[in-house]
Amino acid sequence: MATDYYAVLGVQRDASQDEIKKAFRRLARELHPDVNPDPKTQERFKEINAAYEVLSDPQKKQVYDLGGDPSGSAAGGGAGGFGAGFGNFSDIMDAFFGTASQRGPRSRTRRGQDAMIRLDVELSEAAFGTTKDIQVDTAVVCTTCSGEGAAPGTSAQTCDMCRGRGEVSQVTRSFLGQVMTSRPCPQCQGFGTVVPTPCPECAGDGRIRSRRTLTVKIPAGVDNGTRIQLAGEGEVGPGGGPAGDLYVEIHEVPHPVFQRRGDDMHCTVTIPMTAAALGTKVPLETLDGLEEIDIRPGTQSGQSVPLHQRGVTHLRGGGRGDLIVHVEVTTPTKLDPEQEELLRRLSKLRGEERPTGEFKPGQQGLFSRLKDAFNGR
């Protein structure tokens, strides 16, 4: 009675190629002679190897399913021999190491690499968004050969060493019998084809370097390190393969007045002590235009005045951050006689009363005169 190869591998007769391969790999891990040296196990390993050689080959499988002898359906010997069965050596290696060798020729067309470029933006551009033109140097499809790699009027030819398979096989003997191993063809490097006359423009690579101008939309709220992805604008792959992506990394140029912390902005205004004591309004050029900062009477150095919704736009979600204005009060280092006299009189007047943070009418008038003196009026 003929051997039931489906039963040997433990699969149904309508099993897919993927199910057959998985069953073989599972049994190979259990029954390989290096793992289990028992003679009975070795015979069982020969059976699953022979079964897999037939069921993994569509032509042999068809002959077997019709009741014929699969050993004559293809060159290479019978299915039951242990040495001949090792034509599937790569599947055995995959069963043990989890890696499969590439079967068949490699494609000359491959995806290109991603590229990245750094883009400087001003604070106002980061806050509100903008559109910029950038120049990038990347690999593009060779216009002379259209990515084929062959000189005009020529084409790639089938490799005569591997006959288009991209790999060459070698049979060696071991304690397990004859072992067939495969390696990439040294003549075509595994492509299965050779290019006798490479394109003179790209030297057979199918791509050349070129400078392009792209328009990038910068969304409002970007920050240092933010990356904007431009799909398909990176390097074109070898053989004119699909391009990778281009990433634009944002670098925000430092602002002379404002310091950014997240979506909030900070700045410092300096006022004399008389303005801090009496109160004043300080003009400030913000990202939204000129505004007046209201300095209340009695403001101390180090206090801050918030301007809500005057910061950077939130990158995700609506609204904006705040503008925090820090107040720095300066104390005069040199006084003329009139200024010194006025300060002494003010000190004397304030010493007569318990400090309350407010000025009595006489003190207010004296301080106004002091302010005029400091301002040169």
Side-chain angles (χ1 to χ4, degrees):
M1 179 180 291
T3 303
D4 186 349
Y5 289 145
Y6 292 99
V8 170
L9 295 181
V11 297
Q12 300 294 325
R13 298 189 68 86
D14 59 352
S16 64
Q17 284 295 321
D18 187 57
E19 291 173 332
I20 292 173
K21 180 175 289 188
K22 288 181 179 179
F24 169 73
R25 292 174 180 174
R26 175 177 55 81
L27 293 171
R29 284 194 293 266
E30 298 174 0
L31 303 174
H32 194 280
D34 289 346
V35 177
N36 195 334
D38 182 68
K40 293 182 179 181
T41 301
Q42 294 184 25
E43 290 299 322
R44 171 73 171 139
F45 181 73
K46 293 178 183 179
E47 292 178 1
I48 68 165
N49 189 61
Y52 181 66
E53 182 186 8
V54 173
L55 299 184
S56 64
D57 186 313
Q59 186 177 1
K60 292 182 180 181
K61 181 176 181 296
Q62 183 179 19
V63 173
Y64 175 75
D65 289 341
L66 293 175
D69 181 8
S71 62
S73 62
F82 179 68
F86 257 81
N88 295 305
F89 182 73
S90 62
D91 292 301
I92 298 175
M93 298 300 291
D94 187 23
F96 280 91
F97 302 107
T99 57
S101 61
Q102 181 171 341
R103 310 296 292 272
R106 295 190 296 130
S107 173
R108 290 186 179 274
T109 302
R110 300 192 301 277
R111 182 184 185 274
Q113 294 183 343
D114 295 336
M116 188 175 71
I117 186 173
R118 194 174 80 162
L119 179 62
D120 292 339
V121 298
E122 302 291 338
L123 176 59
S124 59
E125 295 173 330
F128 302 123
T130 187
T131 300
K132 279 183 170 289
D133 290 336
I134 60 174
Q135 289 188 332
V136 293
D137 292 315
T138 57
V140 298
V141 175
C142 176
T143 55
T144 301
C145 66
S146 301
E148 296 295 330
T154 67
S155 61
Q157 298 180 4
T158 301
C159 176
D160 56 9
M161 177 175 287
C162 66
R163 298 183 180 182
R165 292 185 296 112
E167 59 183 16
V168 291
S169 301
Q170 181 180 8
V171 178
T172 58
R173 298 188 62 84
S174 71
F175 71 95
L176 297 176
Q178 290 184 343
V179 178
M180 180 180 293
T181 58
S182 299
R183 60 187 177 88
C185 174
Q187 180 167 291
C188 66
Q189 286 76 50
F191 293 118
T193 59
V194 294
V195 181
T197 310
C199 172
E201 184 70 21
C202 65
D205 190 42
R207 54 183 182 169
I208 57 175
R209 305 294 299 186
S210 177
R211 173 169 293 184
R212 298 176 294 148
T213 299
L214 300 176
T215 300
V216 184
K217 182 179 180 180
I218 310 298
V222 294
D223 201 352
N224 271 321
T226 300
R227 291 185 178 180
I228 301 171
Q229 181 181 10
L230 302 179
E233 296 293 352
E235 300 276 349
V236 167
D245 298 335
L246 174 65
Y247 291 88
V248 180
E249 185 175 84
I250 298 299
H251 174 254
E252 188 178 294
V253 179
H255 195 274
V257 176
F258 303 112
Q259 298 82 44
R260 180 176 175 180
R261 301 175 192 171
D263 289 341
D264 292 335
M265 298 191 309
H266 296 255
C267 71
T268 301
V269 296
T270 302
I271 60 174
M273 68 174 188
T274 52
L278 295 176
T280 187
K281 291 184 180 296
V282 179
L284 178 65
E285 189 68 40
T286 70
L287 297 182
D288 297 272
L290 185 64
E291 298 199 23
E292 286 191 337
I293 312 301
D294 186 16
I295 306 297
R296 296 182 178 181
T299 297
Q300 302 297 306
S301 187
Q303 289 184 337
S304 59
V305 179
L307 297 182
H308 300 295
Q309 296 292 311
R310 294 294 187 273
V312 177
T313 304
H314 299 315
L315 182 60
R316 295 176 179 84
R320 297 169 59 183
D322 299 332
L323 171 59
I324 312 299
V325 181
H326 300 272
V327 179
E328 183 180 86
V329 179
T330 60
T331 302
T333 57
K334 294 182 179 180
L335 300 174
D336 59 31
E338 181 184 2
Q339 294 170 342
E340 185 175 350
E341 176 61 24
L342 289 172
L343 281 177
R344 290 186 183 279
R345 290 176 59 186
L346 177 63
S347 176
K348 183 177 180 181
L349 285 172
R350 291 184 60 81
E352 293 176 353
E353 301 288 345
R354 181 177 179 180
T356 61
E358 297 180 357
F359 295 110
K360 296 274 184 193
Q363 298 172 340
Q364 179 75 37
L366 181 59
F367 211 94
S368 296
R369 292 171 57 192
L370 180 65
K371 180 180 179 182
D372 292 342
F374 274 100
N375 291 335
R377 294 196 298 270

